Amino acid sequence: SQQGEEDPQALSIQEGENATMNCSYKTSINNLQWYRQNSGRGLVHLILIRSNEREKHSGRLRVTLDTSKKSSSLLITASRAADTASYFCATDSSGSARQLTFGSGTQLTVLP
Amino acid sequence: DAMVIQNPRYQVTQFGKPVTLSCSQTLNHNVMYWYQQKSSQAPKLLFHYYDKDFNNEADTPDNFQSRRPNTSFCFLDIRSPGLGDAAMYLCATSRALTGGQETQYFGPGTRLLVL
């Protein structure tokens, strides 16, 4: 079964707006990661947040982690058409140090 | 640039005809993974190698096998492809560290079509 579930499944916004995607997971983690996938391509790592961190920034990306609620959010500020992609959260369960389990993904469309 | 390479990008095979997908890496990572991803779904881990140690997921069909002859190369063999095996196959690598899974680096994927 999938560790992570994301919502919304699809999100459509105008260029310049902010996009927020949420991820929930079920078991304890060491860290949570966000990946991006352009259509028909491989995944690209965006950001990693460890279980003892609450917030992390990277450029226009802001990730939060609430381990008490087993949830994370990814915020993309000032979105661009080039941000159109699928975004996946991925968790490592603390019992398996070498594997990630991916969420179902959010398809983001940024309209020019 | 250090990277993960997958060949070919597109592979067409016939129902039941064995096919091999290739992955190579220049990152010198000790862990390599194979994922299957169907349309609009999350990547699903098939198996991974930790150095030469092969780790199969419990629900990976016997039809799927893998070889890792050296650190740089890893192959996915599908012995008798069925129509349901048509998917994107993603190879990824990572360093194995203590304290949790680190970043995985993905290749561009091979899209498999079964006729």
Side-chain angles (χ1 to χ4, degrees):
Chain A
S1 62
Q2 288 183 346
Q3 165 78 311
E5 295 296 330
E6 293 174 63
D7 89 280
Q9 288 189 326
L11 178 62
S12 185
I13 59 174
Q14 295 289 330
E15 205 165 28
E17 293 180 339
N18 296 342
T20 299
M21 290 160 267
N22 302 296
C23 169
S24 61
Y25 58 93
K26 296 176 183 175
T27 62
S28 298
I29 61 171
N30 292 303
N31 64 58
L32 184 145
Q33 303 180 39
W34 285 90
Y35 288 80
R36 165 196 168 122
Q37 185 179 34
N38 284 41
S39 180
R41 306 288 297 184
L43 280 74
V44 175
H45 178 259
L46 295 175
I47 196 164
L48 181 153
I49 185 165
R50 301 198 184 277
S51 59
N52 61 354
E53 297 176 310
R54 292 296 167 257
E55 187 171 313
K56 203 161 183 181
H57 297 253
S58 176
R60 293 184 295 114
L61 305 180
R62 173 177 168 252
V63 168
T64 62
L65 179 64
D66 186 335
T67 53
S68 66
K69 296 180 179 178
K70 292 186 168 60
S71 68
S72 174
S73 67
L74 171 67
L75 168 68
I76 304 175
T77 60
S79 63
R80 305 166 183 168
D83 293 330
T84 295
S86 292
Y87 292 82
F88 293 91
C89 68
T91 54
D92 69 334
S93 53
S94 38
S96 177
R98 298 196 300 271
Q99 294 178 226
L100 291 176
T101 304
F102 286 86
S104 50
T106 294
Q107 171 61 51
L108 173 67
T109 302
V110 182
L111 303 169
Chain B
D1 287 341
M3 55 197 305
V4 181
I5 302 161
Q6 289 188 248
N7 286 306
R9 292 295 313 282
Y10 299 91
Q11 177 73 57
V12 181
T13 191
Q14 292 179 326
F15 183 93
K17 184 175 181 180
V19 65
T20 294
L21 308 183
S22 301
C23 177
S24 63
Q25 54 129 341
T26 60
L27 296 160
N28 203 32
H29 285 168
N30 55 343
V31 191
M32 294 187 76
Y33 306 82
W34 279 104
Y35 290 87
Q36 180 193 65
Q37 186 180 28
K38 296 191 175 180
S39 182
S40 301
Q41 295 184 20
K44 179 180 179 298
L45 182 65
L46 296 173
F47 24 60
H48 75 275
Y49 274 94
Y50 179 82
D51 292 323
K52 293 184 179 181
D53 182 26
F54 178 69
N55 298 270
N56 199 31
E57 291 301 294
D59 56 354
T60 297
D62 292 341
N63 199 24
F64 291 85
Q65 298 187 341
S66 185
R67 296 169 283 136
R68 188 179 186 187
N70 53 53
T71 300
S72 300
F73 286 88
C74 194
F75 301 98
L76 169 61
D77 300 308
I78 308 177
R79 288 192 299 184
S80 182
L83 298 179
D85 296 328
M88 174 75 89
Y89 290 89
L90 297 165
C91 175
T93 72
S94 75
R95 297 179 302 164
L97 299 174
T98 57
Q101 172 64 61
E102 295 298 321
T103 301
Q104 291 190 13
Y105 294 81
F106 283 80
T110 293
R111 184 165 295 282
L112 179 68
L113 180 62
V114 182
L115 301 177

